Amino acid sequence: MIDGASDTVQFAHRHLLGIEGLSPDDITLLLDRSESYVEQNRQIDKKKSVLRGRTIINLFFEASTRTRTSFELAGKRLGSDVINMSVSTSSIKKGETLIDTAMTLNAMHPDVLVLRHPDAGAAKLLSEKVNCAVINAGDGSHEHPTQALLDALTIRRRRGRLQGLMVAICGDIVHSRVARSNIHLLNTMGARVRLIAPRTLIPEGVERLGVEVFHDMKEGLEDCDIVMMLRLQIERMHGNFFPSIREYFHFFGLDYEKLASAKPDALIMHPGPMNRGVEIDSEVADDFGRSAIREQVEMGVAVRMACLELLTLNQPEAEQRNL
Amino acid sequence: MAGKPSESLGRVAYVNARLVDPASGLDAPGALLTEGEVIADFGAGLFAEGVPEGIKVVDCGGHCLTPGLVDIRVQLREPGDEHKGTLASGGRAATAGGITTMVCLPNTDPVIDDMSVVEFIARRARLLGLTKVYCYGAVTKGLEGLALAEMGMLAEAGAVAFTDGVKAVGDAQVMRRALSYAGTYRLLIVQHPEESSLAEDGAMNAGETATRLGLQGIPRAAEIIIVERDIRLVEMTGGRIHFAHVSTAEAIEAVGRAKARGLNVTCDTAPPYFALNETAVGDYRTFAKLSPPLRAEADRQAVVDGLKNGTIDAIASDHAPHDEDAKRLPFAQAACGGIGLETLLPVSLEFYQNGQMSLTDVLRLLTCAPADLLGLRAGRLEKGLPADLTLFDPDRAWKVVADDLLSKSKNSPFDGRPVQGRVLRTVVDGRAVYGREG
């Protein structure tokens, strides 16, 4: 049934480089398509043949467990061949530039390149040089579109909609690609977005992206339907953005006391990996009734299946691509 | 005559007083009643029918009864440098100077960059029962100018604002982050405005006097650069800054322009910068070695103007005790700073004596204005507020003799100066903590 349906849907973009620029219809299409894979992934036989004969390369220049595994599983469940390349084994270590690596891989005729890179704009640069579809699996502090999609799918399944919800994104906004993708997606879909963080972790001019900024958790969480916590990206911090972990947790770590000002049924989300006792209290993270953190991971595979499928089937004929 | 905290205070009537409250503009004969630790009532008509039985009466002899002075910049040297001064010696000197609230810098040992030090100072000062002591927390850990201190938690512990004390936060990125981070909790950063790379080799104000004396100069630009830079950073981050002891015309102008643009920028100065100039260094007088250095006459005049036109928000003593060993040295090697608790009021009153300011305007700079800068519940006469009061004779003439001052260290830049204005009684929380007979 899913196989049959795939011929009829059309995704209007060749690559998935970010959420910014996608229309509500684009996002709805991706989410609806993802939805259909959620059930399939819960069956004993999870494998389909939509992408049989296709090649997907995961090109990861940053450490990643969940995103890389998620893309790998998504590709394999659709029947494609998946190659994983990570920095530690690639020629980048031998001094090759991103573009040379991309051209080398391009010559092997992949259908999709999934790229994670520490620099903003890397996916865009790659997309200009290769013939296949490019999926941005996180470029620096810019975007991480599949994360925002899986967050949206999680919310939509729990709340039945995105429109009109009040979503708080808390923590290290300035370094977060997840926050940027989520801001674009939630705004596009009619949700309201609040950012809560110390001033040092709020990027300049972010209000212009259509968000409300708070510096106090209790104030910011008031009446929120969704609480998204972000990891402190210490590895991206040059200089000091806050004095200590204990002070950060004291004022901005999510615990039951601060959570009390959100709606009683507010959903707690985290893109992972979590740092317990830094941005989130263990008790809250493990609260099965309220935390959707594990569900987010499950949705991740479905969302990536939909993205791989729609982008692959959307490509020009093979002969044209390879000229 | 310092009261013991355990004594029962009851009610005290201060009659025959000239009540001066700059916050409300009151300057009239009248009386004031304290009940326990708070101001119960005051006004022109109070006790017009006489004081009822059972109320202790203090005859003010027609002298000025005002809110106790609020001094927002002192170094008390405890913990760490008790040979220069202690909370007790500083407390006694402050009460003699009519100061009922003071705020100490974090350059103690250990540095006030940890909540336990804030609590230590608060507890010690409370037990002493003298002038109230609040403290600044450090902006950066160890005052090293690198990593931010735990400003949020320090503020919760009681730190009223943040500063690296006698050092400027020099690195622009650190200052940017500090202002931004402090803004998260609406905290105030107090900057010692001096570009250290320009100042570190100097001993006094750069110029003719320094050249004649053969001393390396500290250029005025060292102050101006940091003031102008930090104003840009405030604009960028939305933080709040207060510049301590400004001493140059251009720095004051810059603050004035920033205020006109609606930025959260304020400043204070200290008596040496409006009452002395670089000639006080004279023949290598180390008691006149201060930081920032005493400037030229034109700058002194600019400070006076800044106080008169309101660009400078407050006067602080900048009390910096040093023992003899730190001052009896060749000028270049001597420590910077002078004591100031006991000369703050009389030297400031020179504005009143020479007709440049009204008594109310001078006192405003010493009471409600500094209190409001730091959000302290002090510096005004108001029913229900703590009874922190100063009774002084604004005209009584005396001569500053450093050895007669109560401060443990005697390094006063005003030693030998004839002044007017004598504190007669100081009251903290309804208790007389200082009294002078005759």
Side-chain angles (χ1 to χ4, degrees):
Chain A
M1 197 173 81
I2 289 160
D3 290 0
S6 45
D7 298 327
T8 59
V9 289
Q10 271 286 322
F11 184 60
H13 306 269
R14 222 187 128 196
H15 308 287
L16 181 63
L17 303 177
I19 298 292
E20 190 174 21
L22 295 189
S23 68
D25 285 348
D26 292 334
I27 292 166
T28 306
L29 172 66
L30 285 166
L31 294 180
D32 289 349
R33 199 75 198 123
S34 306
E35 188 79 53
S36 70
Y37 285 117
V38 174
E39 269 313 301
Q40 183 191 317
N41 283 334
R42 289 177 180 172
Q43 306 304 312
I44 291 175
D45 180 8
K46 302 174 182 65
K47 195 133 175 169
K48 296 284 161 184
S49 53
V50 195
L51 298 188
R52 186 164 51 202
R54 307 292 186 135
T55 304
I56 293 162
I57 299 180
N58 282 332
L59 182 53
F60 276 59
F61 291 94
E62 272 186 349
S64 163
T65 309
R66 72 195 67 212
T67 306
R68 192 189 51 72
T69 313
S70 187
F71 269 109
E72 184 176 351
L73 265 180
K76 286 179 172 169
R77 284 184 184 170
L78 292 172
S80 65
D81 297 313
V82 183
I83 310 287
N84 288 315
M85 301 211 36
S86 58
V87 181
S88 53
T89 56
S90 81
S91 328
I92 286 286
K93 277 271 158 89
K94 300 172 193 160
E96 195 174 64
T97 67
L98 171 64
I99 289 174
D100 286 342
T101 305
M103 295 316 291
T104 305
L105 296 174
N106 191 49
M108 299 174 189
H109 303 301
D111 297 273
V112 183
L113 262 173
V114 178
L115 177 73
R116 164 162 297 187
H117 197 277
D119 291 320
K124 168 81 176 139
L125 180 64
L126 197 68
S127 73
E128 289 163 358
K129 301 290 173 191
V130 298
N131 303 110
C132 62
V134 173
I135 296 181
N136 180 6
D139 61 330
S141 301
H142 177 226
E143 281 231 45
H144 190 356
T146 56
Q147 178 70 43
L149 288 164
L150 74 88
D151 288 342
L153 183 61
T154 308
I155 297 170
R156 207 177 72 164
R157 284 169 61 88
R158 286 279 193 121
R159 290 289 181 269
R161 66 193 163 98
L162 293 166
Q163 172 84 33
L165 294 177
M166 181 76 85
V167 183
I169 306 177
C170 316
D172 187 358
I173 313 285
V174 74
H175 298 105
S176 177
R177 51 197 175 211
V178 175
R180 283 171 181 75
S181 288
N182 265 311
I183 291 168
H184 294 309
L185 188 146
L186 292 163
N187 273 328
T188 305
M189 300 309 283
R192 290 172 60 191
V193 182
R194 291 177 174 181
L195 305 181
I196 314 174
R199 278 175 183 265
T200 40
L201 296 178
I202 298 280
E204 224 170 303
V206 76
E207 297 84 357
R208 300 291 297 268
L209 302 186
V211 297
E212 262 188 288
V213 176
F214 291 81
H215 305 298
D216 181 279
M217 283 288 272
K218 286 182 184 173
E219 271 174 47
L221 288 179
E222 210 172 295
D223 295 323
C224 280
D225 300 282
I226 311 289
V227 183
M228 285 186 181
M229 301 307 297
L230 298 175
R231 182 176 67 87
L232 276 178
Q233 302 195 42
I234 309 279
E235 74 279 10
R236 289 186 212 279
M237 292 186 189
H238 301 285
N240 18 171
F241 288 81
F242 59 93
S244 66
I245 297 292
R246 68 172 179 176
E247 173 146 320
Y248 184 81
F249 184 77
H250 181 70
F251 291 101
F252 293 97
L254 187 68
D255 53 20
Y256 278 119
E257 198 198 327
K258 300 185 190 96
L259 185 59
S261 50
K263 283 190 180 164
D265 62 345
L267 199 61
I268 298 152
M269 302 175 72
H270 194 301
M274 268 189 288
N275 289 317
R276 292 164 184 268
V278 179
E279 70 266 355
I280 190 162
D281 193 82
S282 271
E283 261 190 312
V284 177
D286 296 335
D287 185 334
F288 285 112
R290 308 194 56 176
S291 162
I293 296 171
R294 288 182 202 174
E295 204 174 319
Q296 287 173 272
V297 179
E298 184 191 355
M299 294 307 121
V301 179
V303 159
R304 281 153 190 145
M305 288 169 83
C307 293
L308 289 172
E309 183 203 359
L310 291 173
L311 285 174
T312 310
L313 300 179
N314 196 22
Q315 286 178 33
E317 286 308 304
E319 300 90 289
Q320 284 174 283
R321 282 198 281 134
N322 295 337
L323 279 177
Chain B
M1 80 175 283
K4 294 184 191 70
S6 58
E7 86 188 295
S8 170
L9 291 167
R11 291 190 288 174
V12 182
Y14 296 84
V15 300
N16 190 22
R18 175 180 172 188
L19 294 175
V20 185
D21 177 38
S24 63
L26 172 73
D27 183 354
L32 182 144
L33 174 69
T34 65
E35 191 163 343
E37 298 190 343
V38 302
I39 297 171
D41 202 0
F42 64 95
L46 187 65
F47 304 126
E49 314 284 304
V51 180
E53 286 281 315
I55 299 180
K56 190 181 162 204
V57 176
V58 174
D59 186 341
C60 297
H63 298 307
C64 293
L65 186 65
T66 69
L69 272 49
V70 176
D71 185 352
I72 59 171
R73 192 176 177 90
V74 303
Q75 298 177 62
L76 295 176
R77 307 293 188 211
E78 182 180 346
D81 285 305
E82 287 85 350
H83 60 293
K84 297 188 178 199
T86 63
L87 288 163
S89 70
R92 280 192 297 273
T95 60
I99 296 158
T100 56
T101 297
M102 56 185 167
V103 188
C104 67
L105 298 187
N107 57 341
T108 47
D109 183 11
V111 167
I112 310 179
D113 61 1
D114 189 89
M115 288 164 288
S116 60
V117 189
V118 177
E119 281 154 16
F120 168 82
I121 289 168
R123 187 177 69 248
R124 290 273 296 144
R126 200 166 52 239
L127 288 175
L128 286 166
L130 298 166
T131 292
K132 292 173 183 171
V133 180
Y134 292 94
C135 61
Y136 289 105
V139 175
T140 63
K141 287 172 187 152
L143 309 176
E144 285 171 353
L146 301 171
L148 296 182
E150 293 173 324
M151 290 190 258
M153 289 164 94
L154 284 164
E156 282 193 346
V160 294
F162 293 83
T163 179
D164 271 359
V166 299
K167 289 159 80 174
V169 178
D171 185 282
Q173 180 73 301
V174 173
M175 189 59 173
R176 171 202 179 180
R177 294 263 160 74
L179 284 164
S180 176
Y181 188 75
T184 304
Y185 310 100
R186 299 182 186 84
L187 303 173
L188 177 69
I189 302 257
V190 176
Q191 176 76 300
H192 165 75
E194 188 170 74
E195 169 55 51
S196 66
S197 59
L198 291 175
E200 61 198 1
D201 296 331
M204 70 171 293
N205 188 45
E208 184 192 331
T209 311
T211 299
R212 284 181 190 282
L213 292 173
L215 292 170
Q216 292 300 309
I218 298 172
R220 304 161 67 255
E223 175 170 299
I224 302 158
I225 285 170
I226 291 293
V227 168
E228 291 187 337
R229 179 200 77 175
D230 286 354
I231 288 169
R232 300 286 166 197
L233 294 176
V234 164
E235 191 168 18
M236 179 168 128
T237 57
R240 287 173 65 203
I241 200 165
H242 176 83
F243 295 108
H245 48 214
V246 291
S247 65
T248 58
E250 289 89 334
I252 297 164
E253 269 171 43
V255 169
R257 282 196 304 274
K259 286 182 170 184
R261 283 159 62 211
L263 297 174
N264 272 319
V265 176
T266 53
C267 68
D268 69 61
T269 194
Y273 304 107
F274 59 76
L276 299 173
N277 65 27
E278 63 187 351
T279 61
V281 171
D283 211 8
Y284 305 100
R285 215 170 137 249
T286 58
F287 280 14
K289 184 178 181 186
L290 307 177
S291 175
L294 291 169
R295 303 289 185 187
E297 177 58 17
D299 281 320
R300 187 196 70 82
Q301 191 56 51
V303 173
V304 171
D305 293 341
L307 285 164
K308 281 158 67 179
N309 67 28
T311 308
I312 301 176
D313 299 85
I315 301 173
S317 74
D318 212 1
H319 182 73
H322 283 295
D323 55 350
E324 293 210 356
D325 291 341
K327 283 289 192 183
R328 297 221 183 285
L329 289 168
F331 195 88
Q333 292 175 35
C336 292
I339 57 169
L341 292 169
E342 291 157 90
T343 47
L344 174 64
L345 178 64
V347 176
S348 299
L349 282 174
E350 289 175 9
F351 286 117
Y352 163 65
Q353 302 297 351
N354 61 26
Q356 288 186 297
M357 278 190 217
S358 72
L359 184 62
T360 316
D361 286 342
V362 177
L363 289 171
R364 177 177 295 113
L365 293 163
L366 298 166
T367 56
C368 57
D372 291 350
L373 284 173
L374 298 186
L376 305 174
R377 225 170 140 251
R380 46 189 19 97
L381 297 183
E382 213 173 279
K383 287 182 198 175
L385 276 191
D388 297 342
L389 306 165
T390 298
L391 178 67
F392 69 92
D393 177 350
D395 300 317
R396 182 89 52 96
W398 58 289
K399 184 173 165 184
V400 178
V401 178
D403 285 341
D404 293 345
L405 298 174
L406 296 186
S407 172
K408 181 167 179 166
S409 289
K410 308 298 185 188
N411 54 310
S412 171
F414 295 112
D415 189 19
R417 188 181 185 93
V419 293
Q420 271 178 283
R422 200 57 149 151
V423 174
L424 304 174
R425 178 185 284 257
T426 305
V427 177
V428 172
D429 284 338
R431 292 179 190 88
V433 291
Y434 174 81
R436 163 174 288 274
E437 300 306 323

